[in-house]
Amino acid sequence: MSDPIAVVGTDTGVGKTVVTAGLTRWLREQGIDARAIKPAQTGFPPDDDAGFVAEACGAPDAATCCRYLEPPLAPRVAAAQSDDELTYASILTACREAIAEAEQPIVEGIGGLRVPLSGDHEVVDLVADLEATALVVTRSGLGTLNHTALSVEALERRGIDVAGVVCNEYAGETVAERTNPAELERMTGHDVTTVPPLEGETPRAMADGVADGLSATVLKQIVTDD
């Protein structure tokens, strides 16, 4: 088993799920038993990130979710709103059990790094406790420099290795978009790659589009590290 990869985001809705799907699908196509792990899914239904990854990979065992919560809120808040017991120990244990069953586990974050999971524990705590390497997904346009640099700094302060940064839905239509990748590399010291807009495609096509965008940098680094 390889060390987990944690696909984390600077915020909610930045594209963690599609990047997780692309990474999982690409690794499985290389003959690696990669499996995506969602520690907790809120807003279920209709939100089902593990289901999206499984559909993108064409395999039900390509993804699993440890816990489902209905309110579309941070897990800690969602559990409180629905009178559902959710402990950090249960999340951590479930993730470790799922990780042990995969050759290459890929843990998808929930929202941003400071999103509350349970009690005083946040997403960044889980990434650290799982000893995962982080892949940071961020938006491509104006405002991403601050959010991304702060997220990378938060990871590094916890001693978490960063594999790289992904600017999602990159179209290059504005000056901010065109200059952000190079500026983020300067600010964070990590490789930055881009993924084009993929909305409207099937989950499989979206996953393939992500893999095409990541192949030159992040995917090569992951295979080398393994």
Side-chain angles (χ1 to χ4, degrees), residues 20-91:
T20 298
L23 187 54
T24 304
R25 178 175 170 80
W26 184 85
L27 287 167
R28 290 173 73 91
E29 288 179 341
Q30 311 311 305
I32 299 168
D33 179 25
R35 301 187 190 184
I37 301 160
K38 186 75 175 184
Q41 175 71 64
T42 62
F44 177 85
D47 294 339
D48 185 4
D49 295 344
F52 180 93
V53 176
E55 184 177 351
C57 294
D61 66 347
T64 186
C65 179
C66 301
R67 189 66 178 273
Y68 291 98
L69 297 162
E70 184 175 352
L73 305 164
R76 180 185 185 279
V77 183
Q81 289 290 315
S82 56
D83 293 323
D84 206 344
E85 184 178 357
L86 180 69
T87 67
Y88 181 69
S90 68
I91 296 173

Side-chain angles (χ1 to χ4, degrees), residues 136-192:
V136 181
V137 183
T138 187
R139 292 183 174 86
S140 295
L142 190 65
T144 198
L145 299 180
N146 180 64
H147 296 163
T148 308
L150 287 174
S151 295
V152 170
E153 182 179 342
L155 291 164
E156 292 178 338
R157 283 187 174 182
R158 297 296 300 272
I160 299 167
D161 292 334
V162 177
V165 175
V166 180
C167 286
N168 191 37
E169 297 187 346
Y170 177 87
E173 294 178 347
T174 67
V175 174
E177 275 192 88
R178 293 191 293 273
T179 57
N180 279 341
E183 195 66 7
L184 283 173
E185 287 190 344
R186 183 192 67 80
M187 295 174 70
T188 67
H190 295 288
D191 288 334
V192 176

